[in-house]
Amino acid sequence: MALCELEGITKTYGEGPTRVDALKDVDLRVEAGEFTVLSGPSGSGKTTLLNQIGCLDRPTSGTLRIDGVDTSQLGNLALSKLRADKIGFIFQSFNLVPVLTALENVELALQLAGQSAHIRERARAMFPQVGLEGLQARRPNQLSGGQQQRVAIARALVKEPAVVIADEPTANLDSENGEQILSLMQELNARLGTTFLISTHDPRVMAHARRRIEMEDGRIVKDTLSQSPAP
Ligand code: ADP
Ligand code: MG
């Protein structure tokens, strides 16, 4: 059983003259432990696809199974619970809560997932894993972009999600910080076995992927496995 299974997924926004077919009959299987990069021109449907897999939105038609569960059978509450339990998100603009410290931002992910045991210890334990030892008490505006994205990675991983979805995670970083963030995600994938699905425009990011999926105009047009991604 694949971790994420999409069959005939379509997503249509608007209607009449403003109708956009953002996803057209997409089939995709993502297996547990994969490190996959999704590329394609702006407007090709990358964000829309990630939002369906992340259960932030519902497809117009088709079947989406996460860990064997057909999401169309879930009500909104159950879908939110599945999202909180199984999916970690990393965004282009980091999306940390500005009034909370780095540690509190990571704790919040556990609280939102309804977890209450050993929250502080679990959140603390993430900081050395993402190279941020000693910076737990900083607020987001006291951290660099690269450091903020590391907090976001800690926040995504602390609840041990089945899959981490990262939509253009290096787009707001300079190339050196972007490289470091990618290497960190790759290392966490290798060390913890966390499944990563990452969208990007950046050719350097693509070099990190074992599996590369290319989108064009709402469809997957290429899906390749490389034997030796860059370290
Ligand atoms: P990408 O992430 O590859 O740039 P998107 O998934 O954001 O592509 O967009 C795919 C298409 O869907 C584009 O034509 C975009 O304008 C359209 N689109 C995305 N979100 C919406 C929305 N909420 N309402 C209407 N159209 C949208
Ligand atoms: Mg996008």
Side-chain angles (χ1 to χ4, degrees), residues 24-204:
K24 301 169 181 169
D25 196 20
V26 171
D27 295 331
L28 176 65
R29 295 166 63 91
V30 177
E31 307 290 341
E34 275 185 11
F35 192 91
T36 298
V37 168
L38 192 61
S39 70
S42 182
S44 57
K46 302 181 295 297
T47 295
T48 303
L49 182 62
L50 292 181
N51 287 351
Q52 311 309 307
I53 297 172
C55 304
L56 289 169
D57 195 6
R58 289 181 186 268
T60 304
S61 64
T63 306
L64 168 65
R65 284 186 219 92
I66 303 291
D67 230 355
V69 175
D70 179 351
T71 57
S72 70
Q73 303 300 311
L74 303 178
N76 288 343
L77 255 169
L79 192 66
S80 296
K81 171 98 175 86
L82 178 138
R83 186 172 62 231
D85 288 346
K86 305 228 180 228
I87 299 166
F89 293 95
I90 297 168
F91 301 95
Q92 175 174 339
S93 47
F94 322 133
N95 292 12
L96 301 176
V97 180
V99 297
L100 300 181
T101 64
L103 183 65
E104 289 163 348
N105 267 281
V106 177
E107 288 175 347
L108 182 62
L110 290 171
Q111 287 157 352
L112 292 176
Q115 302 190 21
S116 51
H118 308 294
I119 282 189
R120 178 129 304 188
E121 292 86 334
R122 288 172 63 190
R124 256 188 221 291
M126 289 308 299
F127 281 76
Q129 306 227 43
V130 298
L132 286 181
E133 214 149 11
L135 300 183
Q136 291 95 321
R138 300 260 187 106
R139 289 183 208 285
N141 67 2
Q142 301 169 319
L143 295 167
S144 72
Q147 289 169 334
Q148 289 184 56
Q149 198 60 306
R150 287 170 189 267
V151 176
I153 292 171
R155 176 181 62 182
L157 283 158
V158 70
K159 59 188 185 181
E160 297 175 20
V163 56
V164 171
I165 290 178
D167 195 1
E168 312 247 6
T170 64
N172 282 330
L173 299 174
D174 61 46
S175 56
E176 191 184 330
N177 275 296
E179 280 286 333
Q180 287 179 3
I181 287 296
L182 255 296
S183 298
L184 174 62
M185 291 199 272
Q186 228 178 0
E187 182 208 319
L188 292 164
N189 165 260
R191 187 149 50 85
L192 309 173
T194 311
T195 312
F196 279 84
L197 193 52
I198 302 165
S199 81
T200 190
H201 269 96
D202 184 344
R204 284 169 313 212

